[in-house]
Structure formats: C-alpha cells, structure tokens
Amino acid sequence: MPHFRNLPLPEAAAAAAHAALLALALLLLLLRPARALASRFASCLKTPRRRGGAAAAAAADGGLAAASSAGAWYRAALACCAYALLAQVAALSYEVAVAGSHVAVEALLLPAVQALAWAALLALALQVRAVGWDRFPVLVRVWWVVSFVLCVGIAYDDSRHLMGDDEVDYAHMASNFASAPALGFLCLVGVMGSTGVELKFTDDDSSVHEPLLRGGQRRDADEEPGCLRVTPYGDAGIVSLATLSWLSPLLSVGAQRPLELADIPLMAHKDRAKYCYKAMSSHYERQRMECPGSEPSLAWAILKSFWREAVINGAFAAVNTVVSYVGPYLISYFVDYLSGKIVFPHEGYILASVFFVAKLLETLTARQWYLGVDVMGIHVKSGLTAMVYRKGLRLSNASRQSHTSGEIVNYMAVDVQRVGDYAWYFHDIWMLPLQIILALAILYKNVGIAMVSTLVATVLSIAASVPVAKLQEHYQDKLMASKDERMRKTAECLKNMRILKLQAWEDRYRLKLEEMRNVECKWLRWALYSQAAVTFVFWSSPIFVAVITFGTCILLGGELTAGGVLSALATFRILQEPLRNFPDLISMIAQTRVSLDRLSHFLQQEELPDDATITVPQGSTDNAIDINDATFSWNPSSPTPTLSVINLSVVRGMRVAVCGVIGSGKSSLLSSILGEIPKLCGQVRISGSAAYVPQTAWIQSGNIEENILFGSPMDKHRYKRVIEACSLKKDLQLLQYGDQTIIGDRGINLSGGQKQRVQLARALYQDADIYLLDDPFSAVDAHTGSELFREYILTALASKTVIYVTHQIEFLPAADLILVLKDGHITQAGKYDDLLQAGTDFNALVCAHKEAIETMEFSEDSDEDIVSSIPNKRLTPSVSNIDNLKNKVSENEKPSSTRGIKEKKKKPEERKKKRSVQEEERERGRVSLQVYLSYMGEAYKGTLIPLIILAQTMFQVLQIASNWWMAWANPQTEGDAPKTDSVVLLVVYMSLAFGSSLFVFVRSLLVATFGLATAQKLFVKMLRCIFRAPMSFFDTTPSGRILNRVSVDQSVVDLDIAFRLGGFASTTIQLLGIVAVMSKVTWQVLILIVPMAVACMWMQRYYIASSRELTRILSVQKSPVIHLFSESIAGAATIRGFGQEKRFMKRNLYLLDCFARPLFSSLAAIEWLCLRMELLSTFVFAFCMAILVSFPPGTIEPSMAGLAVTYGLNLNARMSRWILSFCKLENRIISVERIYQYCKLPSEAPLIIENSRPPSSWPENGNIELVDLKVRYKDDLPVVLHGISCMFPGGKKIGIVGRTGSGKSTLIQALFRLIEPTGGKVIIDDIDISRIGLHDLRSRLSIIPQDPTLFEGTIRMNLDPLEECTDQEIWEALEKCQLGEVIRSKEEKLDSPVLENGDNWSVGQRQLIALGRALLKQAKILVLDEATASVDTATDNLIQRIIRSEFKDCTVCTIAHRIPTVIDSDLVLVLSDGKIAEFDTPQRLLEDKSSMFMQLVSEYSTRSGCI
C-alpha cells in the first residue's frame, strides 16, 4: 500500500480528495435503483427538476420526439474534461515508460487516481446531455472547483521547489501546468452551473421545432408586455444579496434568447412609482402646510422620504472607505517583512490574509453600496417624474403660458434625471473628509509631522475647485437654457410638420433648429474644454500633494524608505480618486441645485383653483349649471376681462346653444363652466358629471376603440349604439382594421371630421350628466352634420343637459335657450323666435346666414325629394341616456357591417401585425461592429483615435516610471544609503509625474474635440433625415418617440459616448500596466491571469447578452413616458373636463414602473458582473501575495515587490472597470445605433431637381390636369383614389365636395405630393409635378388648411416666416383679412406674442391669420381645405368675398362642407368613394334633380329651412 507521507503535501491532498469524490460517485451510482424507486412515488407529488420535464411528458403524450442540442458552453466543458484526462494519461504513461520496473508506486498514485477521476467526470458530463439537464450535478460542479484549487496549490508548491533548487517531479509538474487553463475554465463552469443544453421537441407531422423556455413554459407570442413575477431582490437571503445571485435566472434567460419586457420581473411594491410618489408628495405638502409663508424644500422632501436607504448606503460606504485604506497602511510592513525584518512568526501569511480579507470586504460592500445608490436614484426619479406630471395636469392658464410642453418634458427628461443621479454623489460630501483623515493618519506613520504639509496641499487643491465650480455652474445654466429652447422648437416643428411641408417652410425651420443647436454646442464646447483643464488640475493635485509631502519630509530631516514611500504613494492613489471626483462633486452639486431650483419653481406654479366651480349634489337642485355675476379673464392683469358679468341658469335636461362672431367668448364660456379660465368674481355651481368636446380635436395615440372607451369598461351594446349615433360605422368599415386601427400622433391619420366624431363618441360613451360641445359640427359635411345633430343631440342626449357652441344657424331652433355673445357679454338670451323678433346681434347672424342661402338659387320644389327637416320640437326624453338609439340599429344588419366594430375577433397574429405600427423598432443581438466604426470615423475620419491612444499610453508609462523611480531611488530600509541626491529625486519624480498629467490633459482635449465634432455631425444628419422624411412617417410615429432620439439619445452622444470610448482605452492601458508590473516581479501570476482573462471575457459575453437587450428595452420604454407627458399636457383641459386626472396619473405611474423594471435589472446586472470580476481579481491578488511571502527573504527586491503590491491593490478595481467600461460603452452606443436608424429614414423626393426646375413665373395660368390619378397611403392598404381624370381650368374657382371619406383631402395631399401617386399624374401648366422638386412645387402653391396652425413667436413671424415681405405689405394683408384693427389694438403691434399652439388667439382668428399668409404669398393656385369651418357664417361670407376679390385671377380649389362656400364656384367636383361622381358647373348640376350635388345642397338647405 502506498504511503502518502512520501508524496508532497499538495499532491497527497489531491490524491485523497479525488479518491474520496470518486468513491462518492460510485456510491451514488449503486444507490441509483433505490433513487429511481423513490422518484416514482415522488413523481405524483412534484415536478421533476429536469429541464422541461412537464413539457417533455406532455410532448410524449402528444407524439413529439425529444432531442437535445448543446451549445458551445457545454461542448467546451466536455473538451476540457477530455483534455484533463489526456494530460493525466500522458503523465502516467511517461512515469511507466521512463522508470520501467523501478517506478515508485507513489509516483503513479496521483496521475492514476486523477485519470480515473477525469474518466468518471467525462462520463457524468456526457450523461447530462442524454437526460437533458439544464444544470450540472452538484457533485460534478464541486469536483471541478476542488480540482482547480488543488491544481493551483500544486503549482504553487512546484514553483517554490523549482526556485529553491529542490527535487521536482517534472512529469507531474508539466501535466499540472498544462491542465491549469482547462481546470480554470471548468471551475468557472462549476460556479455558474448552467449546461447550455436545450431540449427540442419535434412534431413528426409538421417538423416544427419548439425550444422550451425555462420551467417548460412557452410564452405566447401575443402576450401583453406584462409579468406576474415580482423581483426576488426584496425577499432574497443574505448570501443571495451578497452575491447578487437573485439576478441569475434573468441573465440565464437572456443568454439563451433576446430578452423581452415580459421576461423582466416587476418591481417590489416599496420600489414602485406609486409608493415613491406618495412618500415625496406627502412630505412636500406637509412642509407647505406647516410653513405657508415659505417655499417648501424639494431636497428636504426627498431626504425625508428616503433617509433610511441613505443611511444603509452610508454604512456600506463607510465600511468600504475604511477597508480600502488597509492595504496602503500595511504596505510598509510588507516591504519590511520582505527585507528580512520579521516581527512575529508567520507574519507574511498573516499580512497576506489581512490584505485578502480587506479586499474581499471592499468588493462586497462596494457592490451593495452602488446597487443601493442606484435603487435610491430610481426611487427619486420615479417620485419626481410623477410629481411633475401631476403638476402639468393641474397648471393654471397663466402658468401654462410660461411653461411650454417642451419645457415640461425637459423637466422630466433632464432635471429629474440629474437630481436622481445625485444619489451617487450624496455620500461624497462626508466621505471626502473621512478619506483625508485616514490618509493623514497613514502618512503620519510614514513621514511624521510632514503630513501637515499634506493637509495644506490638499486644502489648496480643494480650494482651487471653487472658482471652477462656479464656472461649471454658469456653463451648465447656459447649456440647459439653450437645450430647453431647442427642444421647445423641435417639439413645435414635429407637431406642425404637415403645415411646414405644405408651405415649403421645412428648410427654414430646420435651419432655425441648427442655429439653436450651434448655440447649444458653443456652451457644450466651453463646458467640455473647461472640464479637460479641470482633469489636468486634478490629475496633478495628488502629484502636487506628493511632492509637497516628500519635499517637506526631506527638509525636516526625515528619512524616506521604499516602504514608507510606497505606502504614501498607495495612499495618494486612493486619495486621488475622491480628489479627482471632487470637481465632479462640486459640478454635480451645482447642476443638481439648478435642477432642484427649476423643479421647485415649476412645482410652485399656480394651479387651477379647487373652488373655481362648486359641485352641488344632484338631488339638491333642479339646475345643472348656475353662474351668478361671474367675470372671467384669461389674463387677470388685463383691464378688459374675457367674459363680463355672466348670469346663467341651465335647468337639468335643457339644451342650450351658444352663438356669436369669432372672438366673442363662446369657447371661454365653456371653459368657465369647466373651471379652466381664471374667475375674478362671482360663483359657478355644477350639479352632475361633465363631458367636454373641444373645438380643436384632442385624440390620443392608440386605437379608435381605446379613444372612445377612454378608460371605461367595454359594454358592447352601448358601444355599438355610440358608433351608430356618431355616424362612425361606415368609417370603421372603410378602415382596414376597423376600430382597432392605430391612430397616429394627435389623430394625424384621421380626417378632421373623423377626429371630431371620435371625440363625440368618447363623450357619449362616458354617459355624463352635462355635455359641453364646442362647435362639434364644423368639421363635417352637411349630411353628416344633420345626421349627427339628429342622432346625437336630439336623440342620444335627449335626457341630458347639453350646451353646444355652433356657427351653424340651422341648429339653433332646436335649442331650449340660445345665448348670443359679443365682446365677452351675453347680449341676448332666449328662444329662437323671441330673439329673431328682438333684432340686434342675433338678427345680424341670421341675416348673414340667409344671405349665404340666397346664393343657392334652385327650385323650391326639390324640397319634396329630400330628407325630412330637423324637428323643432324636442323628442320625448328616454329613460336611458342612449337607449333611444337601440331601434336605430338594424336587426337584419349584414355581418360585414359589423366588420369595423370588433376586429378583436380576428386571429391573434393579425392583431399583433396591425399593432406593430405602434411599436418602436429596436435592434436585437450584438451591436454591429459597423456602428462602432461609423461612429469613430464620423469626425476627422478617425485620425484622432490613434492620438488619443498614444496620449493615454504615454500617461501610463510615465506614471509607472515615476512610481518606480521613487521606490528604486529611496533606501530599502532605515539605515541604508539613498541611491541619489534628494533634489534629483524630487526633480525627476516631478518631471515624470507632471508629464503624465500633461498627457492626460492632451487626451481629454482630444476626446472632447472628437466627441463634439461627432455629436454635431450625427445631430445634423439625423435632423435633416427627419425633416426629409415623408409625411407617412410622422403619421405613424408619435412625436414623443422622435423627441426621445433628439433629446435623450442625443444627450448621450453629446456628453457620454466619446468619454466612454476614451475611458475604455484608458482602462485597458492601465490594466496592461498593472499586469506588466506584477508579472515583472512574480511571473507566476500569469498562470492565473490568462484563465482569469478568459473567464472575464466569457462572463462579459454572458452579461452583455442580457445587458444589451435591457438597454434597448429601456430606450423603448422611455418613449411612452415622454409621449404621455406631451400628449397629456396638450389635452389637459379635456382630461380635466372628463375628470380623468386620476386615471392618467395611474397610467403615468404604470409607465414609470415599466421603465424602472429594465433600468433596475440593467443596473443590478452591472453590479452582478463587477462583483464576479472583482472577486476573480481579488483571488489573483491573494495568489500573488502568497507567492511573495513564500519566497525566502532576499530572493525578490523588496521595493519592486512593494511596487507590485501597490499596483495589485488596484487590480480588482481596474479589472472590473475594464469589463464594465466596455459593457457601458456597448450599452451607450445603442444611442448611436438608434440615431443611425433615423439617419436611414426613407426620404421624400428631392426638394430641388436642378436640371428640371420650372420657370420662375410658373404657374402662369394655373391649369391643373389630373390624368388617371391613383393614390394609396401605403403599399399594403387599398387604393383611395381610383383613376381620377379631370381638368381644372386656370383662373377658375373649383369647389370640391363629397361625403366624409370620399377622398377630398387625399386629392389635395396628392396635389402637394404629401402622398406620391401609385398611378397616373398631375399636370400643372404643362409640367408634370412628379418631375420637379418638392420645394419648387409647394412654394408655388398656397393653402389654407383645415386646422389653423400658429407657431410660437410673433404675428409677423407667423405671417412671413421667410422674411420676404415688408411691414406695409403685412399690414395690408391684415387689413384685408379683417385683423388689422385687432392687431393695432395690441401694444406690440406686429410683434404681438403668439403662445404655443396659438393658444392666446381664438380658432377663428387663427384661421384669418392663415388667410393672411395666403394673401402675402399670392400664389397662382390656392387651396382651401375646410378653411372656414371654424368661423361664423358672417365671417365665412367675408372670407369668401376677400378670396373672390384678391384671388380673382387665381385657380382656387375649395373643399367645404358649407354648401354656400362652393355654390358660386365655376366648377364643382363631387367625389364618392375615391371616384369622380360628378364634375360640372353648379347650375347644370342643380338642374339635375338626381345629382349627388343636388342632394348635398338640398340637405344643407333643408336643415336651414326651419329658420
């Protein structure tokens, strides 16, 4: 029997361990039959652990064949096992062959046992694939880890014997060293546990392969992005929290396939946005209540809400700070030990153990600290975002005017982000003094009283940052202001892109944005270059401190030793980090203070008063609305109120009509009932719930059904009746996906009439008590308007209180009460006949209407053939609000007629397909190398990249040289003679050290220059591509999604990516420097460095697979938050009118949680990776220490060993930072990837085609010829215009009429080439418009659109944005469009302000300004697209007279629902279902009693005939 005592201790331990594990494996194999019997009984109680077990059984029942597939991970593990077996067999064979019969049994023992062990391990590994386990058995994993530990121990023992000239078994040593890399890899596999084996089940009939997800569950492709699992973070045990293993299941899924939102667990309840918002809001409001006179502190509210988290994070930070100084403190003792000064037995091993434990504690506490800070940041950002959103919903009109939607979005996107990020810097305020105190204590031990100079030098370094901080704050303020301005203008341009393209203004506004960006870049450049100077100063600060310290020590007669110098240098190195971060801390404090002030100022803005209206219980009064002696004004400081002395009582169930000329205060009256307009005096009482339909339609992105339900539960019968009442059934049948059709941003892909009717349906479905309708019939044709009034107002709302504003006089007789407004006063109130007899203002409105009717000269006999007139008498109120419509729905309705109402019955795949237009695109898998190369080649063709690398390399070389010089030149121990003069010592050190700082400055300048140039190029390229994108892109892409790219992604490119790229290069070079220094002293470290690097790269790949997708999901989830912000602020009045603030607040909190989920998982994944990287580095450092202390004294030069330890202390931090910097770079580069997506948008036709430009006088005649024109909106959508062929003679007035959806607006879009025809052509004055540039076409045409659009700025800028006209010409245009007097009454005249969306001007006035634009442009062809829909009849008549006189020689194409608007046209084109129904003069069409035009005229005349 062999004797273990003849073997070296490590080899004997290895043989014993392998023999024991082999025996255990055999024992388990023998017990297998018993286990199989037990598992039969257990199988009915619980699911087997084997991967896909349940699914496998189900598959077997279903006739599926199981097959397993193995990834590279599993195959590599098998290869390593086989390689280790081969190495042991080779060693065994060598021993037998060389020694022959004289071989010692002890020499064969280890390779023989290990060969048997590796054969068993190989067999067990092969079994894993056969049974389809997703994790290796515990025995195998433990065996691999133990094998690697034993391998390292044997290698260490062999190295000692080799250096000490002892006898060594070279066969054992060679096989051991050869096996080390393979065992290192297997050790990593053992720690991770995953096999990478995946079962696939094959259906023999269909040959479809279905990979099983974890747990044997397959996620349905149609599942909503929800998740029922809550993150295990809150309930994890101590070990799981310390090792972050609670995240491993998510990373495992991410390694197998791209992650989706549904894979990411929900946040714990205490981490959700609702909890954070309530905590912060309650503390903020409590301050306001306790100190009403003073402004509440937002910072104090945040601290009170999350102080517990701050304290816990502070505890981890304190422990981390203290243990980080253990290494520098012990270095001098370590150098003394290596020099032969041994104080107590085993001192070297004890020192190495203390080093190891300190680094281990530092690693564990750092990860908990950083993750806790990240979680606190998420809490702060979620709570603040919710507070800003709630404030945005409650802003008063005056406050709203001083904060545009772009600014409010910026508060959320930038300021909230900055305040949340401050959590990282929060503890630095007290940690910096603690670090300085610890550093001084260590320095006192090494340099004595000279440490006082260290304190002075440190204070001077910190004091130097004060002016820098002020400078940074100044630049930050300027940068934020310029960013706000650019974002506000960008949001406005995106919102009004249609009018920009129609008017050919897009180039002008794009140049304005580029000018704003140039201003922003100027401040960005100053900020970044000043930061480069700061970097130089603070890299120089530790050198300055070191020189002062060492110089003072020498002057005072102190003796420097290698150990003391290295200890001091290690201390300065640790102190360098907080000193270098101190300017960031000061800058961050300054930035955070700016952001807190901005947020506090916003949160202090005036809200709509709660007492604006008084809610009265329904049973206590018969009146639905009471207004007593009330005066209102949009501008309380104005001497002229908007509404004066309003007295109004509306009995429940009454129908009230409001009329008057434009600007008389009709919409303001409805706003006063809603409590939107500031009340100066009086009372407003409301009894019952309200529903509000604004004049300008507000439609949410989403499908039509969601817009109608508006948060209410689905009631199919009510829903169908609402569709019927709002005349939407035919529209839904025409739409490809019915009511599931996705509506673009602000309903942009719906016609004006459709948007208005969706609004009406939304109001009707809410079943409110009071309905406030602001001119709902102006956007629809006469027939639809009549039908809507009859079915909606008179039938569906028969029992409701209705107040409707209208310019259509024909809808007034049916009202119980008519209010006539003029100059903010109710001048008349009464029934139709009474007011008509009274004369005055009401009579003037009716006369204007009759004047319009008189233009339609046709036989009164036609009245017999048309639809019966609208009844004057009220219908009998029904018991249910909309049950009156029940009998309207035909019982024998064809199945196809319900096609549009419930598209949900279609297959799930089709639903997913149609919803895909609303989903934001994201790449999957690895970021393409092309993205990196393209980014690096954007600026200066990439020539700065090698210069940046060279500067960083020189920095690292000079820094190592300076430290080496100090370690070499000073005496090793006290009493030794120095190797050089003290002056030379300091001069050489200063030259090398300050030289290294100079190269850092050069690198920072180069990185800033490269980053700025690249960011500017990408921004300009993206902006130009967005502005050149076709209108269909803006129809289907929410503006919030685009804003996300030009704000959040662009900010990342501006401030982050170039520095991430430079940081990665810097960390790589620093890591190589550390490894080089350590290897120079202890080459054995390379044994572990190589497998550690392989392990690190593998873990990085494992991590980045999940991290990359988490970042992409994060980018996608950010857009809905921004979009809901901008959408809600635009529709705040509607949301408040329906009382839906709470629902929208919940939606915002839900979206914040959807954003926080991937954010939290992404941040936790970073810490997961860093922990493992640093643990590996810590073990490598411990190995290096063990080798150093095991060498006999004098073998290694102590100063060099001390230098290796000094650098080794940073190994774990540098290793994790290296991997982390690459991962963060890849995560951030996704912003570049997303910008490049928008740089590749499909473009419209060229703006100008040089060799095909029309003459400057074109078009001279204005002839328009349509030749077989066919148009469809998208390739997969049906044709909208079916072969239109006709001729519009030049100088003639063409009226274009037809039912809603007949193709009128599509024809105009084709004329302006917003949509390119799929067939046929449009010829204007003998030129095919498809052959000329878009700018040449659109700049020669003029249009007054249906939705009047004003831009923020002045009246002058809105009339003449290209600055081509004189003031005299502008005044003439204003006089002609009847706005001259109004503008002259303003103090600023032509510079009178126009607020965002033109909110300080009425809709009618905005329409007149649009007319003024057309008057100034004087194009030969003018298009009016429902241009007078929002004005009263008298103003309409006036506009028509202006057009007849000012455009008498022009071709005027008029789309109108008001028949008098087109009745005097030279020709009338009647469209029906995208085809020409009729095209002739009005007289001839009216002569044909069966013509469609005659029907339209009759409908309009008949509904007016009751007057």
Side-chain angles (χ1 to χ4, degrees), residues 21 25 29 74 78 117-131 133 136-137 139-140 143-144:
L21 289 168
L29 185 65
Y74 173 77
L78 277 185
W118 285 110
L121 282 168
L122 183 62
L124 288 171
L126 287 169
Q127 186 192 19
V128 165
R129 179 171 180 177
V131 296
W133 281 331
F136 286 106
L139 176 62
V140 173
W143 205 331
W144 282 340

Side-chain angles (χ1 to χ4, degrees), residues 1338-1391:
R1338 293 169 184 169
S1339 62
R1340 311 294 177 89
L1341 308 180
S1342 192
I1343 185 169
I1344 305 177
Q1346 182 174 1
D1347 296 322
T1349 301
L1350 296 190
F1351 294 87
E1352 187 179 3
T1354 64
I1355 288 291
R1356 184 200 312 273
M1357 187 273 289
N1358 270 279
L1359 286 167
D1360 182 29
L1362 302 182
E1363 300 176 1
E1364 296 173 339
C1365 302
T1366 64
D1367 283 7
Q1368 181 62 34
E1369 290 171 331
I1370 293 174
W1371 277 115
E1372 287 175 6
L1374 286 171
E1375 293 293 346
K1376 289 173 183 176
C1377 64
Q1378 306 299 305
L1379 279 175
E1381 186 179 342
V1382 176
I1383 303 298
R1384 280 198 173 87
S1385 66
K1386 304 281 184 182
E1387 187 179 344
E1388 300 91 346
K1389 303 295 190 291
L1390 290 179
D1391 293 322

Side-chain angles (χ1 to χ4, degrees), residues 663-685:
S664 58
K666 303 182 295 297
S667 298
S668 297
L669 180 64
L670 298 188
S671 296
S672 70
I673 297 170
L674 291 168
E676 293 290 323
I677 182 170
K679 183 178 63 178
L680 304 182
C681 62
Q683 281 188 339
V684 180
R685 291 188 178 88

Side-chain angles (χ1 to χ4, degrees), residues 90 142 197 218 276 392 455 460 514 641 834 853 1193 1214 1290 1341 1381:
V142 170
V197 173
R218 179 180 176 274
C276 302
L455 179 61
L460 288 175
E514 288 183 10
D834 299 336
I853 295 295
R1214 291 299 163 204
L1341 308 180
E1381 186 179 342

Side-chain angles (χ1 to χ4, degrees), residues 1264-1285:
I1264 303 174
E1265 184 180 0
L1266 309 178
V1267 182
D1268 194 27
L1269 185 65
K1270 297 175 183 174
V1271 174
R1272 57 158 49 99
Y1273 282 93
K1274 285 174 66 178
D1275 292 340
D1276 57 341
L1277 294 179
V1279 175
V1280 180
L1281 295 182
H1282 304 266
I1284 302 286
S1285 296

